[in-house]
Amino acid sequence: EHLIRNYTMTGASAQTSTIHVLKDIDFEVEKGEFVAIMGKSGCGKSTFLKLLGMIERPTAGAIYFDGMDTEELWKDELADIRRRRIGFVFQDFYLLDSLTSGITPPAMILDKADSQVMKEIAELAGRFGIDHLLLKAPYELSGGEKQRAAICRALINDPELILADEPTGNLDSRSGQIVMDALKEINEDMHKTIIMVTHDPYLPA
């Protein structure tokens, strides 16, 4: 079953000239796959991921999510898919320093009970080895710990799809390996579909 299909997409225009960021793309991902998209910095990888995550819309072509043409969906329908069915992992973490560990925001959006949220956070944090850090603020964590917290945040609503934008880009090789191991576990053991973009041809396997 196709989770995402994507055709011929072009970027937005700058002033009077048009910049074709992405063009003539035919791309499919099956449920349960782990797909890595590689390319040099500035080639449009992050734009591509934003289009797949329905954060931005293509100026041409079509993107299908689980058989649905996303161009036919209302903004609130797209927001609901992003909130419930897609988890995002970013290079710069984007944890909220005002919240311990920074994991809770997606769960708060879904109005889960506090006890349920804390139980799920504890289970995920334990799974990825950061349960002893839950009372620390994000600024007290190392880069690798922040990224594992960000992965937990992406998983808290049990999404089907994880979109990871350069998840090891700001990490040393050891931390990068830990994060890659976590992503592989998410794919193999939790059966999540993962689409990851990277510029690093030596990314830990």
Side-chain angles (χ1 to χ4, degrees), residues 4-205:
I4 289 178
R5 185 184 292 118
N6 181 66
Y7 298 107
T8 314
M9 300 181 302
T10 58
S13 61
Q15 295 179 351
T16 58
S17 62
T18 299
I19 301 173
H20 295 283
V21 179
L22 299 165
K23 187 177 180 181
D24 297 330
I25 295 175
D26 189 348
F27 180 77
E28 294 183 4
V29 175
E30 300 285 345
K31 284 186 177 181
E33 284 190 301
F34 190 148
V35 176
I37 299 169
M38 187 173 295
K40 63 183 181 180
S41 296
C43 72
K45 301 186 305 298
S46 294
T47 299
F48 185 51
L49 214 60
K50 289 176 182 177
L51 287 163
L52 295 181
M54 292 164 274
I55 296 173
E56 294 184 2
R57 294 209 175 195
T59 53
I63 299 173
Y64 289 82
F65 182 92
D66 201 14
M68 297 179 289
D69 185 348
T70 60
E71 284 298 299
E72 297 179 356
L73 300 178
W74 295 96
K75 286 185 178 180
D76 58 345
E77 292 176 311
L78 293 173
D80 191 62
I81 290 174
R82 288 195 300 268
R83 183 165 54 244
R84 297 176 184 273
R85 303 183 65 182
I86 302 176
F88 296 88
V89 179
F90 304 98
Q91 178 178 355
D92 294 322
F93 320 124
Y94 296 122
L95 302 176
L96 299 177
D97 284 339
S98 59
L99 296 171
T100 54
S101 77
I103 298 173
T104 55
M108 292 165 61
I109 290 172
L110 284 187
D111 297 323
K112 293 185 178 183
D114 289 346
S115 58
Q116 182 185 359
V117 170
M118 294 313 300
K119 180 181 178 181
E120 293 174 0
I121 288 174
E123 289 175 352
L124 285 170
R127 182 167 195 151
F128 297 108
I130 58 169
D131 48 319
H132 62 296
L133 301 172
L134 285 178
L135 296 181
K136 291 185 176 291
Y139 65 81
E140 298 179 278
L141 308 183
S142 69
E145 291 166 346
K146 287 180 180 178
Q147 195 60 291
R148 279 182 282 165
I151 289 171
C152 290
R153 178 187 61 194
L155 289 169
I156 194 64
N157 288 335
D158 194 26
E160 302 154 45
L161 172 66
I162 300 293
L163 299 178
D165 189 359
E166 301 276 9
T168 64
N170 285 333
L171 305 179
D172 58 42
S173 58
R174 180 177 178 278
S175 296
Q177 182 66 66
I178 291 171
V179 167
M180 285 304 302
D181 288 344
L183 291 173
K184 284 190 287 185
E185 180 179 344
I186 291 166
N187 174 247
E188 295 172 4
D189 298 342
M190 302 177 73
H191 310 294
K192 305 296 184 185
T193 305
I194 298 178
I195 304 175
M196 176 184 71
V197 301
T198 180
H199 69 277
D200 186 2
Y202 304 105
L203 193 71

